[in-house]
Amino acid sequence: MIKILIVDDEQIEREGMEAILNRAFPDLIIEQANNGNSAVELAASFKPDLVLMDVQMPGINGLEAVEQILAEFPQIKFIMVTAYDTFQYVQSALKLGAKDYILKPSKVSEIRTTIGKVLKEIENERELQAESSLQREMLQRTLALVETDVVTQLLFDHVHEVHLNMLLEMLEIQSTGQVFVMNVIVPEGMEHFYTKMKTIVRKAKSGWMGALYDGQLPIIIFRNGQSYRSQATSLARDILLAVNKEQKAGWFIGIGNVSSTLDKIRPSYQEAIIASSDRSLPVKYRFYQDIPVMNDSVSSQQVRYLKKDLSDQVRLGQWDQIKTNLSQLIHAYEMEEIKIEQAQQFILEALWSIWSVINNLGIEAATPFFHYQASNYRHLRSETIHLLMEMKNSSDRHYLSLEADTIYQVKQYIMENSQQNISLETLSMKVGLSPIYISKMFKEKLGINYIDFLTECRIEKAKKMLADPEKSIKEITIEVGYHEPNYFSKVFKKLCNVTPREYRKAMLGLKETER
């Protein structure tokens, strides 16, 4: 519905204009003002879309009223109503932004046309505003989905068809470097607080919210000018204050340590999960760094021993031994009745040590972390072995790829340089592996030792050269890498069941037959 305010000091003029409008545009909402001052007051309360403003009135004139109204409500449109002798005022009003003017007196058809044109303009603007509003709403929904997907890709082993960097460019909030994670425990039935928490995080311009799953909500927080603890505490309190007192039970927030960059954020998430596991504290949030350190018991000695041996065990590929050691460590924690959240924390540190070793070896593997707090030691043992096997599989794939590439390099080198004296030491220097390892790998992967492969390459080259009658047997012997023609002949006959001369004769005879 479009609202029109008719302003004129003559009642008969106002009533006549309203009658014309009601007949021509029956859906309008119309109000009247009898002078400029009343027009200014009604504009504030009635908020018209269009004002039909008489120019000459007692008190403030129409031009002054237009100027005052536009100062407060620039979106209101004006049509000036004037007699011929006040046309100069209309020109001033048009400069202020008035859309058109109507002369007194005017034909009804002219009034309908002039006003109808402005009403159409108002309707078009409303349609554009509605379309723009819908586009903004759709954009906000899209950005919310992008934000959730970014958090999922950063914190979980999640692959999306849209690359993470492209999603980051779409978000309004950009990462500033250092980040940390808060894990909010949301009680069952309190899921509707998600929108309120998102508003709090958005208002603080401090981070991205992930998806609420199984009662846990991860939030990636960007560091600002405050200290780490002050920033985290302030945001945690704001979130908890948004919850009604009678609904506080079950809420808890775990806060992970600061990570230097977004691509190193997963450990902070794991720390936040561990920090939120013990919800018995009177304060409903806890920093990971505030978790009590375990006493120097047998199990703490074991974990130090385990970490000491991990490097060698990983480098030697002794995954069964690592699995046994971790199982024994978990068993020791269980026997000493260590709290499950503390045990998970120390096991995670051991897994990170393993990951660090294989990462330093150039092996790409996902950072190990528990998605949720283990409910018991059986669950902890199962999840630990699962994470360990994932790293083992990454290591196996790496070395399989490395071996395949190494075999290819060795084969290519032998084929291209078979005329030279190639030793295992030569191949070792070429690919950077020990001579014994190369010999073993060559035999296992190709079913032949490197000397036999070298011999085959030399004989294949000799076969091609024997097809050329201009080359002597002695020349061919030297060119393929042998020094004695008699020895070359013996090797050739062993592999081909004929001597080099017999092979040449057969080849040349075949050529004569083909001619």
Side-chain angles (χ1 to χ4, degrees):
M1 301 289 283
I2 295 178
K3 295 189 287 186
I4 290 186
L5 176 61
I6 301 173
V7 185
D8 200 303
D9 58 333
E10 296 288 341
Q11 182 175 353
I12 190 171
E13 294 286 348
R14 298 197 304 272
E15 298 292 345
M17 182 65 75
E18 182 169 349
I20 293 172
L21 292 176
N22 282 330
R23 286 195 298 270
F25 313 104
D27 293 331
L28 296 178
I29 299 175
I30 302 173
E31 288 284 350
Q32 298 182 16
N34 60 7
N35 56 57
N37 289 321
S38 297
V40 173
E41 292 176 3
L42 265 176
S45 58
F46 180 53
K47 292 183 174 57
D49 300 292
L50 172 62
V51 177
L52 304 181
M53 181 71 73
D54 187 21
V55 174
Q56 282 291 77
M57 292 180 293
I60 64 171
N61 61 34
L63 188 60
E64 293 169 331
V66 168
E67 192 169 7
Q68 290 185 34
I69 294 172
L70 283 177
E72 292 294 325
F73 308 100
Q75 76 281 2
I76 294 178
K77 301 186 186 313
F78 291 87
I79 294 177
M80 307 308 293
V81 181
T82 181
Y84 290 106
D85 59 349
T86 57
F87 187 70
Q88 58 181 346
Y89 291 106
V90 175
Q91 289 180 310
S92 299
L94 293 174
K95 289 180 181 179
L96 284 175
K99 307 302 295 184
D100 211 330
Y101 64 92
I102 296 172
L103 294 175
K104 291 184 188 179
S106 289
K107 294 180 179 179
V108 171
S109 59
E110 292 176 350
I111 294 174
R112 285 201 304 260
T113 300
T114 301
I115 295 176
K117 183 173 63 175
V118 178
L119 293 178
K120 184 64 176 177
E121 184 177 331
I122 293 171
E123 290 175 351
N124 290 339
E125 287 181 358
R126 284 185 174 182
E127 289 177 1
L128 289 174
Q129 287 174 357
E131 184 178 343
S132 177
S133 177
L134 179 61
Q135 289 175 345
R136 284 196 300 271
E137 183 180 349
M138 292 177 64
L139 176 61
Q140 289 302 317
R141 291 180 180 179
T142 301
L143 290 176
L145 293 174
V146 168
E147 181 177 319
T148 301
D149 199 13
V150 164
V151 174
T152 302
Q153 290 197 53
L154 286 170
L155 301 185
F156 302 92
D157 293 324
H158 172 79
V159 178
H160 195 282
E161 61 183 6
V162 181
H163 194 272
L164 177 62
N165 290 337
M166 295 178 64
L167 295 176
L168 288 172
E169 291 177 1
M170 295 175 65
L171 293 177
E172 297 174 350
I173 306 173
Q174 299 298 317
S175 173
T176 56
Q178 290 190 333
V179 288
F180 62 93
V181 177
M182 297 175 66
N183 186 52
V184 183
I185 304 300
V186 181
E188 186 176 355
M190 298 289 106
E191 295 82 1
H192 59 282
F193 277 97
Y194 182 90
T195 302
K196 186 175 290 187
M197 286 187 284
K198 195 174 189 71
T199 301
I200 293 170
V201 174
R202 279 290 187 187
K203 185 177 180 181
K205 296 182 179 179
S206 57
W208 298 322
M209 282 180 57
L212 177 61
Y213 183 74
D214 199 22
Q216 300 196 57
L217 174 65
I219 309 175
I220 295 177
I221 308 297
F222 309 137
R223 294 283 291 108
N224 58 21
Q226 295 176 279
S227 69
Y228 154 62
R229 292 186 72 92
S230 295
Q231 181 185 2
T233 300
S234 177
L235 186 56
R237 287 175 176 172
D238 286 345
I239 292 173
L240 293 170
L241 283 173
V243 183
N244 297 331
K245 289 183 179 180
E246 63 274 12
Q247 298 172 324
K248 281 279 177 67
W251 286 83
F252 200 88
I253 300 175
I255 305 166
N257 289 329
V258 174
S259 300
S260 57
T261 57
L262 271 176
D263 57 356
K264 298 178 181 178
I265 191 65
R266 287 189 181 184
S268 181
Y269 174 52
Q270 184 60 59
E271 292 162 354
I273 290 176
I274 294 173
S276 61
S277 59
D278 183 2
R279 305 163 199 171
S280 61
L281 301 176
V283 178
K284 294 301 179 181
Y285 59 88
R286 179 171 63 169
F287 290 84
Y288 174 79
Q289 58 187 218
D290 292 342
I291 297 176
V293 178
M294 184 175 58
N295 294 329
D296 192 20
S297 59
V298 175
S299 52
S300 64
Q301 294 171 11
Q302 278 187 273
V303 75
R304 287 199 298 270
Y305 176 78
L306 175 64
K307 288 181 180 179
K308 182 179 179 182
D309 286 352
L310 279 178
S311 180
D312 290 339
Q313 290 172 350
V314 173
R315 291 177 188 278
L316 294 173
Q318 297 174 338
W319 292 98
D320 288 339
Q321 184 60 51
I322 296 172
K323 179 180 176 181
T324 299
N325 288 346
L326 284 175
S327 296
Q328 290 175 349
L329 187 61
I330 294 172
H331 180 71
Y333 288 148
E334 187 173 13
M335 291 300 98
E336 292 185 27
E337 298 183 351
I338 301 296
K339 282 187 176 181
I340 189 68
E341 61 267 16
Q342 281 189 298
Q344 181 169 325
Q345 172 191 347
F346 300 128
I347 290 297
L348 179 63
E349 290 173 358
L351 290 171
W352 284 346
S353 297
I354 297 170
W355 178 83
S356 178
V357 173
I358 66 173
N359 189 53
N360 290 336
L361 290 172
I363 301 172
E364 291 187 6
T367 307
F369 69 103
F370 299 99
H371 291 280
Y372 304 103
Q373 173 62 50
S375 56
N376 52 54
Y377 273 94
R378 182 181 60 80
H379 184 201
L380 176 59
R381 188 175 292 105
S382 173
E383 286 298 304
T384 299
I385 300 307
H386 172 70
L387 292 174
L388 181 66
M389 289 301 100
E390 284 189 339
M391 288 189 285
K392 175 186 180 297
N393 292 337
S394 295
S395 177
D396 289 345
R397 286 193 297 270
H398 171 79
Y399 283 112
L400 282 173
S401 174
L402 180 64
E403 286 180 355
D405 185 56
T406 301
I407 289 292
Y408 175 79
Q409 290 183 51
V410 170
K411 285 177 62 179
Q412 286 296 113
Y413 183 80
I414 291 174
M415 287 188 293
E416 293 170 4
N417 301 277
S418 60
Q419 74 280 4
Q420 301 177 12
N421 290 323
I422 300 176
S423 65
L424 281 172
E425 285 71 20
T426 303
L427 296 174
S428 172
M429 294 177 62
K430 180 68 179 174
V431 297
L433 296 172
S434 72
I436 296 175
Y437 182 78
I438 292 175
S439 177
K440 179 175 178 291
M441 180 178 62
F442 209 90
K443 179 70 175 176
E444 289 178 351
K445 300 300 180 184
L446 299 181
I448 185 175
N449 63 45
Y450 94 97
I451 286 294
D452 290 339
F453 183 76
L454 173 60
T455 300
E456 288 182 358
C457 290
R458 287 176 171 178
I459 296 305
E460 286 301 315
K461 284 186 178 180
K463 287 180 180 179
K464 295 177 182 177
M465 293 180 184
L466 285 168
D468 182 1
E470 300 298 323
K471 281 187 179 290
S472 67
I473 301 295
K474 184 175 182 179
E475 287 176 322
I476 293 173
T477 299
I478 301 299
E479 286 189 33
V480 297
Y482 294 104
H483 300 292
E484 293 292 334
N486 289 336
Y487 180 71
F488 165 65
S489 295
K490 288 180 181 179
V491 174
F492 193 94
K493 186 172 183 179
K494 183 179 179 180
L495 290 181
C496 303
N497 296 319
V498 294
T499 66
R501 293 184 187 281
E502 291 170 338
Y503 184 85
R504 167 173 275 179
K505 185 177 179 180
M507 288 289 293
L508 294 176
L510 180 61
K511 285 187 177 181
E512 288 294 329
T513 302
E514 290 175 349
R515 289 175 184 172

